[in-house]
Amino acid sequence: MKIGIVSDHRGIYLKSKLIEYLEHNGYEVVNYGTNSAESVDFPLFAIELGKGIINNKIDFGIALCGTGIGMSIVLNKMKGIYCAKISNINEAILCREHNNANVVAMSADIELENAKSMIDKFIKTSFLNEEKYIRRNNMIKDIENNG
């Protein structure tokens, strides 16, 4: 499985630790930047992660910034990207089970062990594929396609 990861300048430390963790656990990781603590315009990097999902170069994405909010906004503007801004393990599970999210966004301030647990749950949880969740996700896709 290929996991894409992106951060702004505030997410550099957490991103480096998550890359180590994911690779240690057998995942192939694609780093979409930034790779510097110098202030950057995060949308430029978020777009690259989104393209990785859209072009089937990665299976899931992780986006880190100061709050996780900016990254999630950018990614959710891209057709085919379903990014959930998560803050806890329950949200990591439910965004997959109910919403079939393919990207999670998190605050760079989340404690490392908590971030690892959330990422594990996100990656290992499957979409429930029940009629009500399919219907609701199709409604989201209709909005995406038709405004």
Side-chain angles (χ1 to χ4, degrees):
M1 180 180 296
K2 283 189 183 180
I3 309 294
I5 192 165
V6 68
S7 74
D8 69 356
H9 50 282
R10 284 196 49 204
I12 288 291
Y13 173 78
L14 182 58
K15 182 178 72 169
S16 69
K17 294 299 180 185
L18 289 175
I19 290 171
E20 288 174 17
Y21 176 74
L22 289 164
E23 289 177 342
H24 176 76
N25 284 286
Y27 297 103
E28 184 176 344
V29 180
V30 179
N31 179 357
Y32 288 97
T34 189
N35 296 309
S36 166
E38 183 178 325
S39 183
V40 295
D41 294 329
F42 68 87
L44 299 173
F45 296 93
I47 289 168
E48 294 306 312
L49 176 73
K51 287 178 184 176
I53 294 272
I54 292 165
N55 295 324
N56 297 310
K57 292 183 178 180
I58 56 175
D59 300 298
F60 292 112
I62 302 165
L64 308 166
C65 66
T67 62
I69 296 168
M71 288 282 190
S72 67
I73 290 171
V74 172
L75 288 157
N76 281 316
K77 297 289 183 186
M78 300 178 74
K79 187 174 182 170
I81 304 300
Y82 305 102
C83 178
K85 195 286 191 192
I86 61 171
S87 302
N88 59 59
I89 291 171
N90 192 50
E91 291 173 354
I93 294 167
L94 292 175
C95 78
R96 289 285 304 132
E97 285 184 344
H98 295 192
N99 306 111
N100 205 17
N102 51 16
V103 180
V104 286
M106 297 188 298
S107 168
D109 296 331
I110 289 180
E111 193 269 332
L112 177 60
E113 292 306 313
N114 203 19
K116 289 177 184 178
S117 295
M118 291 189 307
I119 296 302
D120 283 342
K121 291 295 184 183
F122 173 72
I123 292 169
K124 294 175 182 174
T125 300
S126 297
F127 180 58
L128 288 178
N129 210 29
E130 295 175 10
E131 191 275 327
K132 66 181 175 182
Y133 301 125
I134 293 168
R135 181 179 67 248
R136 293 169 187 164
N137 284 295
N138 284 337
M139 290 172 150
I140 293 168
K141 290 177 184 174
D142 285 344
I143 294 166
E144 180 180 50
N145 292 324
N146 302 312

